[in-house]
């Protein structure tokens, strides 16, 4: 366990979750599920027993470093890695991997987003232990694939091969990655039985992922190779500012995972959701007898299938709505059909253009 490290990616804004998730207070710092813990806190809690606290690193925007410290007061400031600008997941993972490898060349690293929900945590931990053992023993890049429960067009898909598995037979060689498909393709994937949702959870040894950066993202590897001596020193902040100005905006999926030939997937079913949208929150939340997911001081009349999240200090009365989102936070109220929630990004862009940046 002492050579297992956790990297929590906590720099995103989560704009699809507006107005609850805002630039100055993204969703990972909110109690989205109404459990008394923020998404970031729940994420770190989930890995208790899988790696020691001194091996937990959080990568976030520098603007959110104080928020991370507030939510994780026991996490040393040295373990909060601040990005000067967002450059997607590849530079984020490179930064954390190089930093950890400098400290422990034999490290096995788990990478997780900060804003996912897991309903069956014991099963989650069992699968993570299995993946960590496999990554420690083999030169492989492992991702967790979620057994799909519906033909969802909001997730990427991973196709795997049964005939190429690691010893034990539970981890399968990846055949293809497919970005968010249309509904017809998503249905075909579901019916085929050999496709999984891409969870964005990764497990690998530090030396294996750094080797993959050299092979597939040589420009990013070159940047971080030059700064190895600065990592973990007072020069780190200045180096990272310069490094990120040279790194392109690219995801780890597109930059490495879709190209590498040593990628394996572990099929998983532990009640997962990326809580990326209001509809996904409705799907995993607790419902009343009319299918409403409610968090707030709310009275409902003739209302079904809604997700309602409002401030506890404000009484909200709703009558006659069916399958709507009613969400209020920080002087913004959103009322939107659940079926139209993909337009939330459009709303945010319009608000920014017409009302200024204070609402985005």
């Amino acid at each position: 366990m002492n050579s297992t490290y956790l990297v929590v990616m906590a720099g995103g804004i989560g704009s699809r979750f507006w107005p609850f998730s805002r630039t100055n207070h993204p969703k990972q710092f909110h109690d989205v599920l109404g459990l008394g813990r923020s998404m970031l806190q729940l994420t770190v809690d989930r890995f208790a027993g899988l790696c020691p606290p001194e091996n937990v690193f959080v990568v976030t925007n520098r603007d959110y470093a104080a928020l991370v410290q507030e939510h994780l007061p026991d996490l040393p400031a040295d373990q909060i890695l601040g990005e000067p600008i967002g450059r997607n997941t590849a530079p984020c993972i490179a930064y954390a991997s190089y930093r950890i490898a400098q400290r422990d060349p034999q490290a096995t690293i788990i990478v997780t987003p900060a804003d996912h929900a897991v309903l069956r945590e014991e099963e989650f931990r069992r699968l993570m232990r299995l993946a960590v053992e496999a990554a420690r023993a083999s030169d492989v890049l492992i991702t967790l694939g979620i057994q799909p429960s519906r033909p969802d067009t909001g997730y990427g898909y991973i196709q795997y091969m049964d005939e190429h598995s690691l010893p034990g037979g539970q981890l399968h060689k990846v055949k293809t990655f497919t970005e968010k498909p249309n509904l017809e393709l998503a249905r075909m994937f579901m019916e085929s039985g050999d496709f999984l949702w891409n969870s964005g959870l990764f497990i690998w040894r530090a030396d294996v992922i750094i080797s993959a950066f050299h092979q597939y993202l040589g420009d990013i590897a070159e940047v971080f190779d030059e700064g190895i001596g600065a990592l973990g020193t007072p020069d780190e902040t200045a180096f990272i500012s310069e490094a990120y100005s040279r790194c392109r905006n690219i995801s780890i999926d597109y930059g490495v995972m879709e190209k590498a030939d040593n990628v394996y997937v572990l099929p998983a079913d532990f009640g997962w959701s990326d809580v990326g949208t209001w509809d996904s929150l409705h799907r995993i939340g607790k419902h009343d007898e009319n299918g409403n997911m409610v968090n707030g001081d709310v009275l409902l009349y003739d209302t079904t299938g809604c997700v309602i999240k409002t401030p506890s200090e404000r009484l909200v009365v709703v009558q006659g709505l069916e399958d709507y989102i009613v969400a209020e936070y920080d002087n913004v109220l959103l009322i939107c059909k659940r079926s139209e929630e993909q337009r939330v990004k459009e709303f945010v862009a319009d608000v920014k253009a017409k009302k200024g940046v204070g609402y985005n």
Side-chain angles (χ1 to χ4, degrees):
M1 189 174 83
N2 287 336
S3 64
T4 302
Y5 290 74
L6 175 66
V7 173
V8 182
M9 299 185 293
I13 294 172
S15 59
R16 290 182 298 167
F17 220 67
W18 185 86
F20 200 61
S21 187
R22 309 279 274 277
T23 301
N24 64 347
H25 204 99
K27 68 175 178 177
Q28 58 267 30
F29 301 108
H30 286 280
D31 176 15
V32 172
L33 301 178
L35 299 174
R37 301 283 282 170
S38 68
M39 298 298 287
L40 175 61
Q41 290 168 330
L42 289 172
T43 298
V44 174
D45 292 348
R46 193 175 302 138
F47 288 89
L50 291 172
C51 73
E54 61 269 23
N55 289 4
V56 175
F57 287 80
V58 176
V59 187
T60 190
N61 189 288
R62 285 177 184 169
D63 292 341
Y64 303 147
L67 272 173
V68 172
Q69 196 80 76
E70 179 184 324
H71 285 248
L72 302 172
D74 295 331
L75 186 72
D78 184 57
Q79 290 166 227
I80 301 172
L81 307 184
E83 298 181 292
I85 48 176
R87 278 288 186 258
N88 215 316
T89 52
C92 163
I93 288 170
Y95 180 11
S97 299
Y98 271 81
R99 175 72 180 276
I100 290 168
Q102 185 192 49
R103 171 172 155 180
D104 182 357
Q106 305 305 313
T108 301
I109 301 172
I110 303 167
V111 179
T112 180
D115 53 1
H116 288 185
V118 169
L119 302 182
R120 295 192 294 279
E121 294 203 343
E122 282 309 310
E123 173 65 3
F124 173 81
R125 291 188 185 100
R126 183 188 73 81
L127 290 167
M128 292 306 302
R129 289 188 185 98
L130 194 157
V132 166
E133 290 171 8
R136 190 166 287 141
S138 305
D139 295 347
V140 292
L141 305 170
I142 297 171
T143 184
L144 260 64
I146 308 301
Q147 297 284 0
S149 57
R150 60 190 179 279
D152 200 304
T153 59
Y155 297 137
Y157 285 72
I158 300 169
Q159 185 181 25
Y160 64 93
M161 297 181 280
D162 277 327
E163 64 272 20
H164 297 283
S165 61
L166 292 180
Q170 295 189 62
L171 285 101
H172 305 279
K173 193 170 178 64
V174 170
K175 185 177 182 181
T176 61
F177 284 86
T178 303
E179 284 302 307
K180 300 171 183 177
N182 60 38
L183 186 58
E184 183 181 354
L185 201 54
R187 286 198 181 106
M188 289 172 58
F189 290 168
M190 272 284 291
E191 292 166 3
S192 76
D194 58 354
F195 281 83
L196 304 165
W197 287 336
N198 187 351
S199 71
L201 280 156
F202 307 106
I203 307 94
W204 41 51
R205 286 202 323 273
D207 62 315
V208 175
I209 187 60
I210 288 173
S211 174
F213 271 103
H214 280 103
Q215 187 168 355
Y216 303 107
L217 288 174
D219 53 331
I220 292 177
E222 182 180 348
V223 169
F224 283 94
D225 284 344
E226 291 174 10
I228 286 175
L231 295 177
T233 77
D235 296 328
E236 180 173 325
T237 300
F239 162 67
I240 291 299
S241 294
E242 195 265 339
Y244 269 67
S245 72
R246 296 167 57 194
C247 286
R248 53 188 162 128
N249 188 319
I250 187 169
S251 72
I252 195 72
D253 293 281
Y254 184 74
V256 172
M257 303 299 279
E258 294 181 15
K259 298 178 174 63
D261 60 2
N262 59 335
V263 178
Y264 284 76
V265 64
L266 175 59
D269 184 6
F270 42 71
W272 172 89
S273 173
D274 71 348
V275 200
T277 63
W278 288 108
D279 199 54
S280 65
L281 178 60
H282 182 270
R283 195 174 289 119
I284 66 167
K286 292 182 179 178
H287 298 161
D288 66 13
E289 64 275 14
N290 295 310
N292 301 300
M293 185 267 165
V294 179
N295 184 237
D297 189 3
V298 181
L299 292 176
L300 299 180
Y301 301 88
D302 314 315
T303 293
T304 59
C306 291
V307 53
I308 300 171
K309 193 167 180 65
T310 55
S312 58
E313 65 272 14
R314 187 191 303 280
L315 174 63
V316 176
V317 180
V318 178
Q319 187 276 330
L321 290 187
E322 181 179 348
D323 296 333
Y324 265 77
I325 301 160
V326 179
E328 181 185 356
Y329 181 76
D330 193 20
N331 208 30
V332 176
L333 171 65
L334 170 71
I335 303 172
C336 171
K337 290 181 180 179
R338 278 176 52 203
S339 61
E340 296 288 324
E341 71 162 0
Q342 72 276 7
R343 296 185 63 190
V344 168
K345 283 196 171 185
E346 172 193 336
F347 302 157
V348 175
D350 285 349
V351 166
K352 186 175 180 180
K354 297 174 181 177
K355 300 292 183 180
V357 296
Y359 295 98
N360 68 325

